[in-house]
Amino acid sequence: DGGITQSPKYLFRKEGQNVTLSCEQNLNHDAMYWYRQDPGQGLRLIYYSQIVNDFQKGDIAEGYSVSREKKESFPLTVTSAQKNPTAFYLCASSIHGQGATSYGYTFGSGTRLTVV
Amino acid sequence: DQQVKQNSPSLSVQEGRISILNCDYTNSMFDYFLWYKKYPAEGPTFLISISSIKDKNEDGRFTVFLNKSAKHLSLHIVPSQPGDSAVYFCAAIAVTGTYKYIFGTGTRLKVLA
């Protein structure tokens, strides 16, 4: 079955540590996205990539980094510079181009990151 | 600047009745609007979409209405079922942009049995 997989589902990080969240898709989608969800704030875009080896900052990129070396993979690193990293992180993918508009995104099941 | 707004953070409806979730937007360049449904600790799933050239789209119990002059869309669920209890996000996109959807803040729907 085609889909998008995020791992791990739960992640605990000590303050001052970097941590990497995994996102893999086998939908042959060109574009991939990382969102953060906080209570009452909806989904906020962290980074997105529309093609391999290229990515752009979203609305809240500070303290995060990404890479897009393969079409299937878009890992997100939460660095120690991120002031408030505890949140629910969602990865998504979409067909690039016109098809993306009416079909929307396919989301993963999310990773809950907690700083301890 | 919140381009897509869902002003009601929560809504409670009796089972069998109609649920109406609302969404307002400010950007007249949006071409498509989508609704997503999200259960706790899961990713959102696509529910229904509407093009800006239409004013209504129906899929089973779900109907989305678009009022372009008012920059307002709504999702109607009839009849509401307990399994519909979830957070609903509306999202909008402009074709001339970078194919990024703009999401609202969500409305938590609770359907009471």
Side-chain angles (χ1 to χ4, degrees):
Chain A
D1 285 340
I4 183 166
T5 302
Q6 290 186 242
S7 62
K9 193 164 182 66
Y10 299 96
L11 190 56
F12 295 89
R13 188 196 92 175
K14 291 183 179 179
E15 283 195 37
Q17 285 183 339
N18 291 357
V19 64
T20 298
L21 283 61
S22 170
C23 179
E24 304 276 335
Q25 55 99 359
N26 59 4
L27 299 164
N28 200 32
H29 284 173
D30 292 299
M32 297 187 75
Y33 311 81
W34 274 104
Y35 284 88
R36 168 178 172 148
Q37 185 189 14
D38 295 281
Q41 295 203 49
L43 303 178
R44 294 186 291 168
L45 182 64
I46 304 172
Y47 267 98
Y48 66 102
S49 168
Q50 293 182 320
I51 196 169
V52 174
N53 292 323
D54 187 44
F55 49 83
Q56 285 79 40
K57 293 181 179 180
D59 302 316
I60 55 165
E62 185 175 350
Y64 300 98
S65 65
V66 293
S67 62
R68 187 85 188 277
E69 298 175 1
K70 298 186 301 182
K71 187 176 185 178
E72 302 81 20
S73 178
F74 192 40
L76 173 74
T77 297
V78 184
T79 74
S80 57
Q82 169 49 235
K83 297 286 187 273
N84 186 20
T86 295
F88 188 59
Y89 290 86
L90 285 161
C91 180
S93 68
S94 70
I95 301 167
H96 182 58
Q98 188 71 24
T101 54
S102 57
Y103 302 142
Y105 296 162
T106 300
F107 281 90
S109 57
T111 293
R112 178 159 298 281
L113 172 64
T114 303
V115 173
V116 296
Chain B
D1 177 29
Q2 190 73 27
Q3 296 186 60
V4 179
K5 298 179 184 180
Q6 293 176 257
N7 292 318
S8 298
S10 64
L11 174 69
S12 292
V13 172
Q14 207 67 35
E15 181 180 6
R17 307 294 289 269
I18 184 171
S19 294
I20 300 176
L21 294 93
N22 295 303
C23 181
D24 297 297
Y25 62 96
T26 58
N27 188 346
S28 58
M29 299 299 290
F30 286 143
D31 298 284
Y32 284 91
F33 303 87
L34 281 72
W35 284 93
Y36 283 86
K37 176 179 179 179
K38 184 184 180 301
Y39 293 116
E42 293 183 11
T45 54
F46 170 77
L47 196 57
I48 192 169
S49 65
I50 188 167
S51 164
S52 61
I53 64 173
K54 297 187 175 182
D55 55 17
K56 177 183 175 181
N57 188 26
E58 193 171 353
D59 183 2
R61 297 186 298 113
F62 302 92
T63 303
V64 55
F65 296 92
L66 176 62
N67 183 334
K68 285 177 62 179
S69 61
K71 295 190 176 68
H72 177 83
L73 69 156
S74 61
L75 175 68
H76 292 210
I77 306 174
V78 183
S80 299
Q81 300 173 354
D84 296 329
S85 297
V87 176
Y88 290 79
F89 292 98
C90 64
I93 193 169
V95 173
T96 53
T98 55
Y99 302 108
K100 291 186 297 172
Y101 283 94
I102 309 296
F103 285 84
T105 52
T107 297
R108 182 177 302 278
L109 172 65
K110 188 171 183 179
V111 180
L112 307 169

